[in-house]
Amino acid sequence: MNASVENQIHFHELHPQSKTHPKEVLEGLKSVRKNLNPKFFYDTKGSELFEVITNLEEYYPTRTERKIFETYSQDIAEVCGIDSIIIEPGSGSCEKIQLLIPNLKPKAYIPIDIAGDFLLDSVNKLAENFPELPIHAVQADFNQLDNLPNELPNGSKLVFYPGSTIGNMEPEKALEFLIKLSEWIGNDGGILLGVDLHKPTHQLNAAYNDQQGVTEAFNLNALDHLNDIFEANFDKENFSHKAFYNEQLYRIEMHLVSDCEQCVEFEGEKIQFDEGESIHTENSYKYTRKQLSSLAADAGLTLKETWLDENELFSVNLLVRA
Ligand code: AVJ
């Protein structure tokens, strides 16, 4: 790192990476409806597979959101206001924000991510592209982060939460999360939120059941990940990918279905599977514009503006305090 970059990038380590306790996983695996937190998709292999998913023909969200950012970047900046402090929970590669920075002209950028090394790599690349931008990288699990670090620049805050990541949360959790963000942004800030929209079932089912089987590999990889970090002997060969849109609950459900009756060992406990029994690995909630504005209202926020693609597949929304 050269001297100018050192001045530009500040690193805050708030919660050193904490390991998941096996009990947390065991509780899900032993419950009547077996379940696993979708965070277990994302080891190195899983993150690579997700990257491949985002480029699949059937998987419209990523490219559609990018197109919205590209098309409306000027307008987004006008409505959100320039010169703000941009905070991005779960910033990953920090690539999406780069589409907006030239117009948003932020005073500082604060990416928050649990993966410290990846975060540093990402902000170093960002700093090369935007050498004038002050960056405060925060290594933390934003789900466990209640308060922002103290020594941040002053200014109005814009939380950037793209990718419909909010869709992974149960609606009650999404509400709690928006309430927390509302506290972060205060009266003069905003939340720029990417949300995937409700649409015909066949289109959604296709996006999570791609022809090449990448989503299948992504789902099954969670079992390898469990074997790697815990004492476990899942055999991917004995499970199948299942994903479908639940029209009543407005969510894609992903499951790993046991192909046979089998017993898997996890941290010294025996987990029994019937043939056809599944582990529920992910929910990806879709919203109608009405549902989204009522969620915002419940959090004391209002939808100030919504940007859509021409087919109204995906939405980018600015939420401010009501
Ligand atoms: C990263 C949660 C937005 O729900 O579409 C992609 C994850 N799962 N294919 C989504 C995912 C299966 C993705 N999110």
Side-chain angles (χ1 to χ4, degrees), residues 41-42 50 53 59 61 163-168 196 207-208 215 218 252 254 282-286:
F41 290 141
Y42 302 96
F50 180 66
I53 287 174
Y59 193 77
S164 205
T165 316
I166 197 162
N168 263 177
D196 196 11
Y208 293 82
T215 310
F218 173 74
I252 285 281
M254 292 225 301
E282 183 174 48
N283 285 323
S284 183
Y285 282 88
K286 310 302 170 187

Side-chain angles (χ1 to χ4, degrees), residues 12 14 110 136 138 145-154 157:
H12 306 257
L14 290 192
I110 306 170
H136 292 255
V138 179
L145 188 70
D146 291 324
N147 301 306
L148 291 170
N150 297 321
E151 326 103 68
L152 298 180
N154 292 319
K157 298 189 177 73

Side-chain angles (χ1 to χ4, degrees), residues 277-294:
E277 186 179 358
S278 82
I279 310 174
H280 189 170
T281 50
E282 183 174 48
N283 285 323
S284 183
Y285 282 88
K286 310 302 170 187
Y287 287 84
T288 63
R289 294 172 69 187
K290 219 171 163 184
Q291 285 168 340
L292 183 62
S293 75
S294 100

